[in-house]
Amino acid sequence: KYGKKSRYNFRKPYNFILDCSFHIRKKLRKSNSPNLLSDEERRRIEKDTRTKSETKLKKREEKLQKALYYVQEIEPRYASKFIDRYFKTHDLHERLEIIRELSKYKSENIIEFFYKVNACTRNFSLKEESMKYIQSIGLPFVLRRKKQGKKNYIDNEQVKNMSSPEILMKRLYVDDLEKIKKFDVFVSHNSQDEDKIVKFYKKLNKEGYVAYIDWVNDKFDLKRQWCNASTAQVIKQRIKQSKVFVIFLSKSTLNSQWCPWELGYADALGKKICVYKYDDNGEMIPQFYEGYPQIYIDDKLWVDDDEKMEFKEWVNSDKGKQDRKSSNKFTEH
């Protein structure tokens, strides 16, 4: 807090207003004929200023909510290892992948990491990535200027990484960072339920669980227009990396080809599986969905697995584990 440069010491609103009004107040003191406002005129100006300010604040809040729409406001367990690797590696492309991964989450440690990237990193394109993240979540940021004098070629190199399901699949088998990723809940769903899914995984985040959703966690590589055989291999690996498998059952899910396939693969692995019925209006639901525990949401998350219990208790209990023998039969079939 002491002796650091101005990019760390952001002014308080009170001091900011005093600094901005200093010259105006100084001018008024020296003026022989100060412009004194009537009470009515003062109230009118105050009202107009307040109205304009509230309009600006509302727009800023809407922009912030839009930026945080896809961000999981929780810190994954592997975040500290990613941060340590960033400051140990000299590979700029690996550093960009770490920045991309951590930009999908929000926590105090991750925010502090992005401030450190701006302070310590010489490459300007990586500093701009940290700026985009910090500004998108509505926090103050002062971009560190480019180095003066003689520059290294690394300083001005534009770091860009290629993205595709094939590239991600290769990283899954080669990259140590991809191997240490762990998720609490894999959410199987239909992408047509985007708004419903966002609300659902935000609820999981509040309960302390990191969710995996392909178009959120692998948004740079698993785009819908790129869907192919490599996408299926990536999904398999993400199911393996997840502790619990939850299928978000809605009208759209019943028309999906991917959801039953993902459910069958998770069952074959012996994963803990539960079903969240979003549209439970008496429509015909395939019987194989009825054989799994159901999840309910009110103030907390509940699971009905012969008995009603909190989701966190169910996750840590032996209930819900699939029979390995039946899984093997399913695989052979």
Side-chain angles (χ1 to χ4, degrees):
K1 292 183 179 179
Y2 298 98
K4 293 185 179 180
K5 295 187 179 181
S6 60
R7 61 177 173 269
Y8 298 101
N9 302 320
F10 304 108
R11 288 185 293 175
K12 302 295 182 185
Y14 176 82
N15 296 329
F16 176 76
I17 291 170
L18 286 179
D19 291 345
C20 290
S21 63
F22 173 77
H23 295 288
I24 295 173
R25 289 183 284 115
K26 186 177 180 181
K27 184 178 178 182
L28 284 172
R29 290 193 192 100
K30 291 183 177 180
S31 175
N32 294 326
S33 57
N35 184 14
L36 299 176
L37 300 176
S38 64
D39 291 341
E40 184 180 353
E41 182 71 9
R42 187 173 297 177
R43 284 193 294 269
R44 185 188 65 79
I45 293 175
E46 181 184 353
K47 184 179 178 181
D48 291 344
T49 305
R50 184 178 295 275
T51 302
K52 291 179 181 178
S53 298
E54 288 176 348
T55 303
K56 286 183 179 180
L57 283 173
K58 186 177 180 181
K59 288 182 179 179
R60 186 177 295 178
E61 288 173 0
E62 290 175 353
K63 185 178 180 181
L64 178 60
Q65 289 176 359
K66 186 177 180 181
L68 290 174
Y69 188 68
Y70 297 112
V71 174
Q72 297 197 54
E73 297 184 53
I74 188 173
E75 183 177 322
R77 290 189 295 273
Y78 56 83
S80 59
K81 294 181 180 178
F82 272 63
I83 293 172
D84 290 342
R85 176 66 71 85
Y86 180 90
F87 293 108
K88 289 179 180 178
T89 184
H90 298 287
D91 187 343
L92 296 182
H93 297 281
E94 187 176 23
R95 285 186 166 188
L96 179 59
E97 287 301 328
I98 293 170
I99 288 175
R100 280 182 170 184
E101 180 62 28
L102 295 179
S103 68
K104 302 165 188 173
Y105 301 94
K106 179 188 174 186
S107 72
E108 291 184 5
N109 288 335
I110 291 174
I111 291 170
E112 184 181 355
F113 161 74
F114 278 100
Y115 277 123
K116 286 181 179 179
V117 169
N118 177 52
C120 303
T121 304
R122 292 176 57 178
N123 183 267
F124 200 72
S125 64
L126 295 181
K127 288 191 287 188
E128 286 181 328
E129 290 288 333
S130 66
M131 178 183 69
K132 291 176 186 177
Y133 174 83
I134 295 294
Q135 290 184 339
S136 69
I137 60 177
L139 293 176
F141 188 88
V142 179
L143 183 65
R144 184 178 181 182
R145 290 176 292 180
K146 290 184 177 180
K147 180 185 174 183
Q148 299 297 318
K150 187 177 180 181
K151 296 181 178 64
N152 193 308
Y153 75 95
I154 294 177
D155 298 349
N156 296 323
E157 183 180 350
Q158 289 295 320
V159 188
K160 293 183 180 179
N161 287 1
M162 299 296 291
S163 301
S164 72
E166 290 83 5
I167 292 173
L168 177 57
M169 187 180 69
K170 290 178 182 178
R171 291 207 312 270
L172 284 170
Y173 294 108
V174 176
D175 193 346
D176 293 337
L177 292 175
E178 288 292 342
K179 293 178 181 179
I180 65 175
K181 286 184 181 180
K182 298 292 180 184
F183 306 98
D184 296 313
V185 180
F186 182 100
V187 182
S188 179
H189 64 283
N190 191 317
S191 58
Q192 295 177 4
D193 296 326
E194 180 175 323
D195 293 335
K196 303 171 188 176
I197 294 297
V198 170
K199 292 179 181 178
F200 181 67
Y201 77 69
K202 292 285 186 183
K203 180 65 177 177
L204 289 172
N205 292 161
K206 286 182 180 179
E207 295 293 324
Y209 298 105
V210 177
Y212 175 83
I213 298 93
D214 55 352
W215 41 269
V216 175
N217 297 79
D218 287 323
K219 62 181 179 180
F220 297 104
D221 298 280
L222 296 187
K223 296 184 178 180
R224 295 294 167 184
Q225 61 269 29
W226 295 345
C227 188
N228 55 28
S230 297
T231 304
Q233 297 300 320
V234 172
I235 294 297
K236 284 182 178 180
Q237 190 64 24
R238 296 309 190 201
I239 293 175
K240 289 179 181 178
Q241 292 175 320
S242 302
K243 190 173 183 180
V244 177
F245 183 95
V246 174
I247 185 159
F248 189 92
L249 195 58
S250 66
K251 292 180 182 178
S252 303
T253 309
L254 299 177
N255 299 324
S256 172
Q257 296 178 349
W258 285 87
C259 292
W261 173 80
E262 291 169 352
L263 175 63
Y265 187 75
D267 200 326
L269 291 175
K271 292 287 181 180
K272 300 188 78 167
I273 299 172
C274 59
V275 177
Y276 175 63
K277 292 182 180 179
Y278 182 84
D279 297 322
D280 193 5
N281 52 7
E283 288 193 5
M284 290 297 295
I285 296 176
Q287 289 298 313
F288 60 85
Y289 287 120
E290 302 290 349
Y292 298 100
Q294 292 189 34
I295 186 171
Y296 301 93
I297 298 178
D298 45 31
D299 294 336
K300 296 182 179 180
L301 294 173
W302 303 90
V303 174
D304 185 3
D305 190 3
D306 296 331
E307 60 177 323
K308 188 176 180 181
M309 63 175 67
E310 287 191 35
F311 184 75
K312 60 182 179 182
E313 294 179 6
W314 179 80
V315 169
N316 296 321
S317 68
D318 292 332
K319 281 184 167 292
K321 289 187 177 180
Q322 307 304 313
D323 186 1
R324 292 288 181 181
K325 293 182 180 179
S326 62
S327 299
N328 292 335
K329 289 181 181 179
F330 179 88
T331 310
E332 291 172 3
H333 177 71

